[in-house]
Amino acid sequence: MTAPGEESSVSSGFVRSYVITGGRGLPDADELSLVTLVTIAPDRQPPPNPSPEVRAIWELCSGGYLSVAEVAGHLGLPVGVARLLLQDLNQQGHLLRRKAPPPAQLVDRKILEEVLHGLQVRFG
């Protein structure tokens, strides 16, 4: 128990996250990783009586693809909470997902030097 005037050890951010998720456990990172790109499916209507967070996701993702990390950052939510809300929208058929592009492959240094040499010859 805390003395009068002391702060509780439970932060308001933790309580807010618990309320937003309805106390549900957070989904696996495999389903929606930080770099998974998401957008709202065309010609979809928002779910009935959406929470303020779902409304904000709807407005944010209607303009095009954003990563899960960007959605969480724009909304000021923990990534796990944003991931859970996005997973709900996905299960309801409102969300389109794309995996992030694969990392770039290393190019042979000799090829890069030949390209640089060709550009120097061409443009001085």
Side-chain angles (χ1 to χ4, degrees):
M1 192 160 142
T2 59
E6 285 185 24
E7 287 190 32
S8 171
S9 62
V10 177
S11 70
S12 62
F14 177 77
V15 172
R16 180 174 177 247
S17 297
Y18 183 84
V19 170
I20 291 170
T21 61
R24 295 180 291 161
L26 300 178
D28 291 333
D30 298 336
E31 292 182 35
L32 287 171
S33 71
L34 289 174
V35 294
T36 301
L37 301 174
V38 295
T39 190
I40 299 299
D43 303 325
R44 297 295 299 205
Q45 296 299 318
N49 303 319
S51 68
E53 293 80 17
V54 169
R55 251 184 283 136
I57 289 173
W58 196 274
E59 291 173 12
L60 187 62
C61 292
S62 292
Y65 281 95
L66 290 174
S67 71
V68 171
E70 288 175 309
V71 172
H74 283 292
L75 299 178
L77 293 174
V79 173
V81 174
R83 188 180 288 141
L84 181 67
L85 296 173
L86 289 167
Q87 183 180 15
D88 289 346
L89 288 172
N90 184 51
Q91 290 173 346
Q92 296 166 5
H94 297 299
L95 201 66
L96 296 177
R97 301 181 313 172
R98 283 191 350 202
K99 290 185 179 179
Q105 298 292 325
L106 291 177
V107 178
D108 184 21
R109 182 179 177 98
K110 183 178 178 182
I111 292 173
L112 291 176
E113 288 173 351
E114 289 175 8
V115 169
L116 179 60
H117 178 71
L119 290 172
Q120 288 173 338
V121 168
R122 170 90 175 153
F123 298 106

